[in-house]
């Protein structure tokens, strides 16, 4: 075996580069965060071929002196840990790795002028070799150029995707940072085309934050999100969360920030999922922008070289804060679902482009048109006070044996009878579960499930709580547990998987989430099968009964697969439709 040796710096840097700079978007993120750490208010990013051949970042921040430049490109050199205090990190950077890593893997040049200095300087690093500093003509701030990323690390070069796909990641990374920092303006120019631009919002007031989020997430988010704001101990949570009916097939629009740092943290994403629970259909994802703020010593950001993951000193506090804040907001705004959908409904009503003219103009034709329409005698409209009384109004008619039309005090409501009934059945089953507990059934052959020693012990400690949910387990010695009874509704083949998930969840969160979730999903399926199908004729009394039931049921705005159960058109919207307003 060859003798042990200490690796040369150039090699160490190339190895580290692989962790810190995974792809062009990661380089953009590091450079833009450096600019923000330097107090920049305007940051321009230019890329070619999705950043694979060129990335340039220009900022108007505090800049660097000649000596700073020399240190900046060295590994583990940073200006951001003043008290050597890893427990109180108040900047994006602190590891002093990014510039060294980029310099090791690419051709890097940095020009900079320190604020107030009479000269600017430029330094170059090419595959780890430093040249300069030499004088530069840069007027202010810092300009960083990265060419041929990964040319010096061919192994990584091979993993680059197409320029178009790398460009997508760059844009996403920049948008995330821009969401967290409304005080600064950002632009992205790819191949000479300006593709993204947000102006500085001036500050961090809620309105300014909202303006920035809407600029990035679009008007659909603006119309379909509600704000949240809450605090627990010394942690605060604020931001905007999409209504459950605004959902996506991917989780990329779940934007989470911890002390302004954009993170992609699985644990946090799990908390969001738990909060929406069964309001979002399986396989779909809510849209959120959430800002968690807590004292720096409560959170460890030094978990991941790219700083995308975090650890909380008190994870249960954070989970409680997120889950209860989001649940409250969703509960309070359950009725909003229908209103915002009305906007979409409105746009699908086609108003004729030109006013219709009678085909045979003349007095006779005119008289025909002017005659008032006969009122159908068999379905008298409800008295106004009756319809105004209930939020979902009084049923007037059934359309296509699927939809109920109801008149409310100030508009009309259209109900999908199947979706509505499904939610009602489901909520009733859940309420029954809560009240009478879960029906259990014994397993013919008790199932032994192998876990870790610690996990098995943890699970057994919660045996009473699990029994309430219909799951009866006992210790089986050492790392195993034996399962004797399971909830009657549950799929028996699922037992080992369920037990393992539960053990992992209890280890991480101290709560057995997946059992409840699975029970809820069984209820959802049963509810769907037990509900009034579309296509059944309902009497007026049945329709009104359904409406009254919906009003007293939580989350009646959507079925348990996330489809809306009703839409509401306000009278004002109807008037707009006919240009009366
Ligand atoms: P870190 O950000 O973790 O400190 P970097 O390698 O990204 O490590 O940067 C090293 C140092 O270079 C920073 O601590 C900072 O002092 C300086 N620096 C980097 N980019 C800029 C910039 N755009 N403006 C001013 N100073 C910068
Ligand atoms: Mg940095």
């Amino acid at each position: 075996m060859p003798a042990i040796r200490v690796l040369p710096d150039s090699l160490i840097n190339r190895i580290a580069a692989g962790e810190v700079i995974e792809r062009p978007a990661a380089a953009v993120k590091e450079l833009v965060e450096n600019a923000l750490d330097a107090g920049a208010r305007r940051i321009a990013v230019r890329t070619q071929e999705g950043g694979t051949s060129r990335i340039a970042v220009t900022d108007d921040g505090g800049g660097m002196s000649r000596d700073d430049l020399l240190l900046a490109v060295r590994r583990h050199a940073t200006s951001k840990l003043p008290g050597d205090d890893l427990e109180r990190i108040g900047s994006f950077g602190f590891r002093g790795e990014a510039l060294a890593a980029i310099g090791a893997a690419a051709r890097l040049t940095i020009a900079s002028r320190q604020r107030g200095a009479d000269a600017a300087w430029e330094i170059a690093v090419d595959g780890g070799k430093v040249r300069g500093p030499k004088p530069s003509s840069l007027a202010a701030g810092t300009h960083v150029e990265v060419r041929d990323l990964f040319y010096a690390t061919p192994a990584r070069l091979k993993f680059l995707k197409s320029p178009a796909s790398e460009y997508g990641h760059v844009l996403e990374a920049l948008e995330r940072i821009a969401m967290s920092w409304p005080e600064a303006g950002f632009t992205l120019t790819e191949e000479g085309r300006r593709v993204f631009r947000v102006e500085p919002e001036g500050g961090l007031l809620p309105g300014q934050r909202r303006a920035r989020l809407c600029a990035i997430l679009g008007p659909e988010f603006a119309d379909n999100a509600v704000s949240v704001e809450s605090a627990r101990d010394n942690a605060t949570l604020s931001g905007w969360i999409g209504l459950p009916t605004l959902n996506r097939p991917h989780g990329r629009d779940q934007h989470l920030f911890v002390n302004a740092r954009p993170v992609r943290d699985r644990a946090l994403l799990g908390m969001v999922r738990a909060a929406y629970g069964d309001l979002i259909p399986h396989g779909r994802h809510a849209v959120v922008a959430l800002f968690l703020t807590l004292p720096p010593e409560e959170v460890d950001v030094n978990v991941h070289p790219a700083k995308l993951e975090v650890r909380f000193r008190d994870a249960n506090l954070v989970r409680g804060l997120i889950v209860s804040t989001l649940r409250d907001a969703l509960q309070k705004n359950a009725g909003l679902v229908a209103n915002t959908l009305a906007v979409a409904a409105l746009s699908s009503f086609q108003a004729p482009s030109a006013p219709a003219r009678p085909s045979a103009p003349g007095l006779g034709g005119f008289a025909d048109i002017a005659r008032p329409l006969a009122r159908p005698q068999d379905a008298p409209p409800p008295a106004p006070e009756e319809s105004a009384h209930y939020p979902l109004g009084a049923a007037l008619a059934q359309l296509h044996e699927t939809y109920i039309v109801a008149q409310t005090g100030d508009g009309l409501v259209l109900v999908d009878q199947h979706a509505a009934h499904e939610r009602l059945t489901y909520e009733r089953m859940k309420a029954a579960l809560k009240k009478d507990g879960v029906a259990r059934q014994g397993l013919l052959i008790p199932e032994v499930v192998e876990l870790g020693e610690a996990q098995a012990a943890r699970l057994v400690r919660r045996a009473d709580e699990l029994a309430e949910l219909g799951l009866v387990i006992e210790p089986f010695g050492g790392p195993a547990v034996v399962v004797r009874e399971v909830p009657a509704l549950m799929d028996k083949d699922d037992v080992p998987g369920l037990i393992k998930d539960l053990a992992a969840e209890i280890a991480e969160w101290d709560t057995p989430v997946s059992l409840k979730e699975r029970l809820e999903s069984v209820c959802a399926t049963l509810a769907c099968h037990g509900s009034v199908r579309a296509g059944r004729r309902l009497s007026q009394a049945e329709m009104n009964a359904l409406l009254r039931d919906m009003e007293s049921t939580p989350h009646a705005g959507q079925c348990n697969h996330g489809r809306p159960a009703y839409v509401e058109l306000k009278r004002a919207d109807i008037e707009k439709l006919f240009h009366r307003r």
Side-chain angles (χ1 to χ4, degrees):
M1 207 166 79
I4 299 179
R5 63 178 176 130
V6 173
L7 296 176
D9 268 356
S10 63
L11 202 54
I12 294 178
N13 284 343
R14 269 185 285 156
I15 292 170
E19 294 184 322
V20 185
I21 309 295
E22 201 198 335
R23 60 183 349 144
V28 169
K29 169 180 173 287
E30 293 293 337
L31 297 176
V32 172
E33 290 184 347
N34 277 348
L36 290 175
D37 281 343
R41 251 180 60 86
R42 286 194 184 266
I43 299 169
V45 182
R46 285 182 208 86
T47 53
Q48 270 160 18
E49 298 185 80
T52 56
S53 62
R54 176 181 183 234
I55 297 167
V57 177
T58 312
D59 71 59
D60 60 355
M64 282 172 275
S65 68
R66 181 183 183 279
D67 293 348
D68 285 347
L69 276 175
L70 274 167
L71 282 173
V73 297
R74 287 202 19 209
R75 188 162 149 82
H76 305 316
T78 179
S79 57
K80 302 174 194 174
L81 280 180
D84 287 355
D85 193 351
L86 272 179
E87 291 199 6
R88 320 187 120 261
I89 290 166
S91 51
F92 285 114
F94 62 89
R95 299 170 60 107
E97 281 183 317
L99 293 179
I102 295 172
R107 300 180 222 278
L108 169 72
T109 57
I110 309 172
S112 193
R113 184 194 289 255
Q114 193 162 42
R115 190 160 291 148
D118 46 12
W121 294 90
E122 179 180 316
I123 197 169
V125 191
D126 199 331
K129 275 194 219 39
V130 181
R131 280 181 288 118
K134 63 176 189 187
S136 149
S137 59
L138 189 77
T142 300
H143 178 85
V144 183
E145 286 264 352
V146 181
R147 290 192 182 268
D148 305 326
L149 188 60
F150 302 139
Y151 92 95
T153 49
R156 182 44 62 84
L157 190 60
K158 272 190 254 158
F159 286 96
L160 281 180
K161 298 269 180 352
S162 69
S165 132
E166 294 300 341
Y167 157 74
H169 287 284
V170 167
L171 178 62
E172 223 174 86
L174 190 62
E175 284 181 343
R176 283 233 161 86
I177 300 173
M179 281 186 222
S180 79
W181 213 265
E183 309 99 296
F186 301 83
T187 60
L188 173 62
T189 310
E190 157 81 358
E191 300 284 349
R193 259 187 49 238
R194 169 70 50 84
V195 285
F196 175 73
R197 175 200 194 107
V198 282
E199 291 296 321
E201 290 291 340
L204 266 178
L205 296 173
Q208 291 161 328
R209 203 178 260 309
R210 186 181 143 87
R212 172 58 57 89
L213 289 179
C214 293
I216 294 170
L217 293 172
E220 193 197 7
F221 182 71
D223 292 341
N224 288 279
V226 294
S227 77
V228 294
E229 180 84 63
S230 66
R232 193 177 279 191
D233 293 352
N234 41 19
T236 67
L237 180 73
S238 67
W240 277 264
I241 63 168
L243 296 172
T245 35
L246 177 75
N247 54 57
R248 305 252 190 272
H250 56 74
R252 287 198 299 278
D253 277 332
Q254 304 201 327
H255 303 281
L256 305 172
F257 304 85
V258 176
N259 291 346
R261 184 189 300 281
V263 296
R264 290 278 333 131
D265 190 83
R266 280 196 38 222
L268 282 173
L269 292 171
M271 298 176 200
V272 171
R273 193 171 58 93
Y276 277 86
D278 51 10
L279 295 177
I280 293 265
H282 253 315
R284 307 281 304 182
H285 304 265
V287 180
V288 304
L290 286 173
F291 301 84
L292 183 65
T293 313
L294 60 187
E297 64 272 19
E298 292 287 314
V299 47
D300 185 1
V301 288
N302 189 21
V303 180
H304 188 277
K307 295 163 284 193
L308 288 173
E309 282 171 26
V310 288
R311 293 277 178 281
F312 299 105
R313 206 179 52 75
D314 189 349
N316 283 322
L317 170 84
V318 173
R319 184 179 175 86
L321 179 64
I322 291 184
V323 173
S324 65
T325 306
L326 267 56
R327 288 225 167 128
D328 280 358
L330 292 171
Q331 184 82 50
K332 265 194 217 109
N333 292 288
L336 254 186
V337 171
N339 297 329
T340 51
L341 279 170
V343 178
L346 258 184
S347 61
S348 65
F349 279 104
Q350 292 279 329
S353 45
R357 285 171 190 282
S359 52
L363 270 180
F366 186 75
D368 271 351
I369 289 168
R371 190 180 304 148
L373 289 172
R375 190 183 281 280
Q377 289 310 304
D378 52 339
E385 57 281 356
E386 186 188 338
S387 61
H389 197 66
Y390 298 111
L392 292 180
L396 284 185
Q398 190 185 22
L399 300 183
H400 304 294
E401 295 174 355
T402 304
Y403 307 103
I404 299 167
V405 186
Q407 179 177 327
T408 60
D410 62 346
L412 73 86
V413 162
L414 202 56
V415 178
D416 177 327
Q417 70 190 40
H418 175 63
H421 196 242
E422 194 175 316
R423 170 59 71 178
L424 297 181
T425 313
Y426 173 55
E427 293 293 340
R428 234 175 260 143
M429 290 174 87
K430 276 206 306 193
L433 273 184
K434 223 184 230 166
K435 189 163 148 278
D436 306 325
V438 182
R440 308 196 289 236
Q441 65 174 324
L443 292 178
L444 218 47
I445 306 164
E447 178 120 25
V448 176
V449 184
E450 290 271 337
L451 300 160
E453 191 88 40
Q455 288 206 326
R458 229 179 263 125
L459 207 57
V460 169
R461 238 178 282 136
R462 310 293 287 262
D464 289 348
E465 199 179 325
L466 293 173
E468 267 168 41
L469 289 166
L471 188 71
V472 178
I473 58 164
E474 287 164 17
F476 196 65
V481 297
V482 59
V483 184
R484 301 211 174 270
E485 291 175 54
V486 298
L489 296 173
M490 219 187 71
D491 178 7
K492 311 289 163 299
D493 298 337
D494 200 20
V495 172
L498 171 67
I499 294 293
K500 284 182 186 145
D501 285 0
L502 282 173
E505 275 166 13
I506 291 175
E508 197 170 356
W509 299 125
D510 227 34
T511 43
V513 184
S514 67
L515 186 53
K516 278 186 201 139
E517 262 179 18
R518 277 177 215 218
L519 282 176
E520 287 185 350
S521 113
V522 175
C523 290
T525 312
L526 289 177
C528 180
H529 290 290
S531 301
V532 198
R533 288 273 149 210
R536 218 194 90 197
R537 186 176 290 279
L538 300 177
S539 72
Q540 197 146 9
E542 281 176 309
M543 293 193 282
N544 276 317
L546 187 64
L547 295 178
R548 302 294 81 82
D549 263 1
M550 287 172 72
E551 283 156 1
S552 58
T553 302
H555 302 297
Q558 31 172 160
C559 83
N560 31 329
H561 298 104
R563 287 195 296 115
Y566 71 93
V567 295
E568 180 172 13
L569 274 180
K570 293 285 183 207
R571 195 170 174 160
D573 293 330
I574 301 173
E575 283 169 354
K576 264 189 228 140
L577 213 74
F578 294 106
H579 303 295
R580 282 169 168 271
R581 288 185 164 231

